[in-house]
Amino acid sequence: MARRPTGAKPAAIDLPAILDLKAAGPLCDQLVELRGKPIMLDASGVGKVGGQCIQVLLAAAATWQADAVSFKIAEPSEAFRTSIELMGLSGTLSDRDTAA
């Protein structure tokens, strides 16, 4: 299990405007490189969300929670919120910190 760095500033990632199949691989790679570090994803510019990126974000949130490291989705756009709600995931991916 990864340890939460003491006083570490979260790595900030701006999510792309289109979170589709093409964005899923690069997003996954970026998150894998940051595993074990606190992270904050800025979802303010997201205009379209596909299922593949939602799966990547769900897996990352679960991994960070299991590692007891901060994982936050900040400033979700209306499109991001709506997509999450339509998929029935409002309580899982939100703008709150998912660390244990």
Side-chain angles (χ1 to χ4, degrees):
M1 179 185 310
R3 301 262 182 228
R4 183 180 192 153
T6 307
K9 182 177 178 182
I13 296 176
D14 292 332
L15 293 175
I18 300 174
L19 288 172
D20 60 1
L21 179 60
K22 289 181 182 180
L27 177 60
C28 182
D29 293 343
Q30 192 173 23
L31 291 169
V32 166
E33 287 183 26
L34 292 170
R35 183 169 181 186
K37 299 175 184 171
I39 191 167
M40 185 194 64
L41 304 172
D42 182 345
S44 63
V46 175
K48 181 179 178 184
V49 183
Q52 298 83 2
C53 282
I54 293 297
Q55 290 176 337
V56 170
L57 292 173
L58 284 170
T63 300
W64 264 249
Q65 185 172 23
D67 291 348
V69 178
S70 177
F71 179 92
K72 181 175 176 139
I73 298 176
E75 305 295 327
S77 67
E78 187 61 33
F80 188 88
R81 284 184 190 272
T82 300
S83 296
I84 297 302
E85 289 173 13
L86 288 173
M87 293 181 189
L89 300 170
S90 305
T92 307
L93 289 176
S94 68
D95 58 351
R96 62 183 167 76
D97 194 332
T98 59

